[in-house]
Short mmCIF file of all heavy atoms in Angstrom, two decimals:
data_model
loop_
_atom_site.label_atom_id
_atom_site.label_comp_id
_atom_site.label_asym_id
_atom_site.label_seq_id
_atom_site.Cartn_x
_atom_site.Cartn_y
_atom_site.Cartn_z
N ALA A 49 116.15 117.45 84.65
CA ALA A 49 115.92 117.24 86.07
C ALA A 49 114.82 116.22 86.27
O ALA A 49 113.99 116.00 85.42
CB ALA A 49 115.55 118.55 86.76
N THR A 50 114.83 115.58 87.45
CA THR A 50 113.79 114.61 87.76
C THR A 50 112.89 115.11 88.86
O THR A 50 113.21 116.01 89.60
CB THR A 50 114.40 113.28 88.22
OG1 THR A 50 115.13 113.52 89.43
CG2 THR A 50 115.29 112.68 87.19
N ASP A 51 111.74 114.46 88.97
CA ASP A 51 110.88 114.60 90.13
C ASP A 51 111.05 113.34 90.93
O ASP A 51 111.04 112.27 90.40
CB ASP A 51 109.41 114.75 89.71
CG ASP A 51 109.17 116.02 88.96
OD1 ASP A 51 109.86 117.00 89.26
OD2 ASP A 51 108.31 116.01 88.07
N SER A 52 111.21 113.46 92.24
CA SER A 52 111.42 112.29 93.06
C SER A 52 110.64 112.41 94.33
O SER A 52 110.37 113.49 94.80
CB SER A 52 112.91 112.11 93.34
OG SER A 52 113.62 113.28 93.17
N GLY A 53 110.25 111.27 94.98
CA GLY A 53 109.39 111.45 96.11
C GLY A 53 109.13 110.33 97.06
O GLY A 53 109.50 109.21 96.84
N ARG A 54 108.42 110.67 98.18
CA ARG A 54 108.12 109.73 99.25
C ARG A 54 106.86 110.14 99.97
O ARG A 54 106.60 111.32 100.15
CB ARG A 54 109.29 109.69 100.24
CG ARG A 54 109.00 108.86 101.48
CD ARG A 54 109.06 107.41 101.17
NE ARG A 54 108.85 106.61 102.32
CZ ARG A 54 108.61 105.31 102.26
NH1 ARG A 54 108.58 104.70 101.11
NH2 ARG A 54 108.42 104.61 103.34
N VAL A 55 106.10 109.16 100.38
CA VAL A 55 104.87 109.42 101.11
C VAL A 55 104.96 108.73 102.46
O VAL A 55 105.59 107.70 102.59
CB VAL A 55 103.66 108.87 100.32
CG1 VAL A 55 102.39 109.05 101.12
CG2 VAL A 55 103.54 109.61 99.01
N GLY A 56 104.30 109.31 103.48
CA GLY A 56 104.29 108.71 104.80
C GLY A 56 103.59 107.37 104.80
O GLY A 56 102.99 106.95 103.84
N SER A 57 103.66 106.70 105.92
CA SER A 57 103.10 105.38 106.01
C SER A 57 101.63 105.45 106.36
O SER A 57 100.93 106.38 106.05
CB SER A 57 103.88 104.56 107.02
OG SER A 57 103.84 105.19 108.27
N LYS A 58 101.15 104.44 107.00
CA LYS A 58 99.74 104.25 107.28
C LYS A 58 99.10 105.51 107.86
O LYS A 58 99.72 106.22 108.63
CB LYS A 58 99.61 103.09 108.26
CG LYS A 58 98.23 102.51 108.37
CD LYS A 58 98.31 101.25 109.21
CE LYS A 58 96.96 100.62 109.38
NZ LYS A 58 97.03 99.41 110.19
N GLY A 59 97.85 105.75 107.52
CA GLY A 59 97.20 107.00 107.90
C GLY A 59 97.21 107.30 109.36
O GLY A 59 97.22 108.44 109.77
N ARG A 60 97.24 106.27 110.24
CA ARG A 60 97.17 106.55 111.66
C ARG A 60 98.54 106.79 112.27
O ARG A 60 98.66 107.04 113.45
CB ARG A 60 96.47 105.41 112.39
CG ARG A 60 97.25 104.11 112.39
CD ARG A 60 96.44 103.04 113.08
NE ARG A 60 97.15 101.78 113.09
CZ ARG A 60 96.61 100.66 113.56
NH1 ARG A 60 95.39 100.66 114.03
NH2 ARG A 60 97.30 99.54 113.54
N ALA A 61 99.59 106.71 111.47
CA ALA A 61 100.92 106.94 112.02
C ALA A 61 101.08 108.38 112.43
O ALA A 61 100.54 109.28 111.80
CB ALA A 61 101.99 106.57 111.00
N PRO A 62 101.86 108.66 113.48
CA PRO A 62 102.07 110.03 113.91
C PRO A 62 102.85 110.83 112.88
O PRO A 62 103.44 110.27 111.97
CB PRO A 62 102.86 109.88 115.21
CG PRO A 62 102.86 108.44 115.55
CD PRO A 62 102.48 107.69 114.33
N GLY A 63 102.94 112.12 113.11
CA GLY A 63 103.71 112.98 112.24
C GLY A 63 105.18 112.76 112.41
O GLY A 63 105.63 112.02 113.25
N HIS A 64 105.95 113.46 111.61
CA HIS A 64 107.39 113.22 111.59
C HIS A 64 108.17 114.52 111.58
O HIS A 64 107.61 115.59 111.40
CB HIS A 64 107.77 112.40 110.36
CG HIS A 64 107.03 111.11 110.26
ND1 HIS A 64 107.11 110.13 111.22
CD2 HIS A 64 106.18 110.64 109.32
CE1 HIS A 64 106.37 109.10 110.88
NE2 HIS A 64 105.78 109.40 109.73
N VAL A 65 109.50 114.41 111.75
CA VAL A 65 110.34 115.60 111.76
C VAL A 65 111.23 115.65 110.53
O VAL A 65 111.83 114.66 110.17
CB VAL A 65 111.23 115.63 113.01
CG1 VAL A 65 112.35 116.62 112.87
CG2 VAL A 65 110.40 116.02 114.21
N SER A 66 111.30 116.79 109.89
CA SER A 66 112.24 117.00 108.80
C SER A 66 113.24 118.05 109.24
O SER A 66 112.95 119.24 109.24
CB SER A 66 111.52 117.46 107.55
OG SER A 66 112.44 117.72 106.52
N PRO A 67 114.44 117.65 109.68
CA PRO A 67 115.38 118.62 110.20
C PRO A 67 115.94 119.50 109.10
O PRO A 67 116.14 119.06 107.99
CB PRO A 67 116.48 117.75 110.82
CG PRO A 67 116.39 116.48 110.09
CD PRO A 67 114.96 116.29 109.71
N SER A 68 116.17 120.74 109.43
CA SER A 68 116.83 121.66 108.53
C SER A 68 117.97 122.30 109.29
O SER A 68 117.75 122.97 110.28
CB SER A 68 115.84 122.71 108.03
OG SER A 68 116.50 123.65 107.23
N VAL A 69 119.17 122.07 108.88
CA VAL A 69 120.33 122.47 109.67
C VAL A 69 120.96 123.69 109.02
O VAL A 69 121.55 123.60 107.96
CB VAL A 69 121.34 121.33 109.77
CG1 VAL A 69 122.49 121.72 110.67
CG2 VAL A 69 120.65 120.09 110.32
N GLN A 70 120.80 124.82 109.65
CA GLN A 70 121.21 126.08 109.05
C GLN A 70 122.70 126.13 108.81
O GLN A 70 123.18 126.73 107.85
CB GLN A 70 120.77 127.22 109.97
CG GLN A 70 120.72 128.58 109.28
CD GLN A 70 120.09 129.60 110.17
OE1 GLN A 70 120.46 129.73 111.33
NE2 GLN A 70 119.12 130.34 109.65
#
Side-chain angles (χ1 to χ4, degrees):
T50 63
D51 295 327
S52 20
R54 173 75 178 167
V55 176
S57 59
K58 196 172 180 180
R60 68 182 179 185
H64 303 300
V65 164
S66 177
S68 176
V69 184
Q70 199 172 49

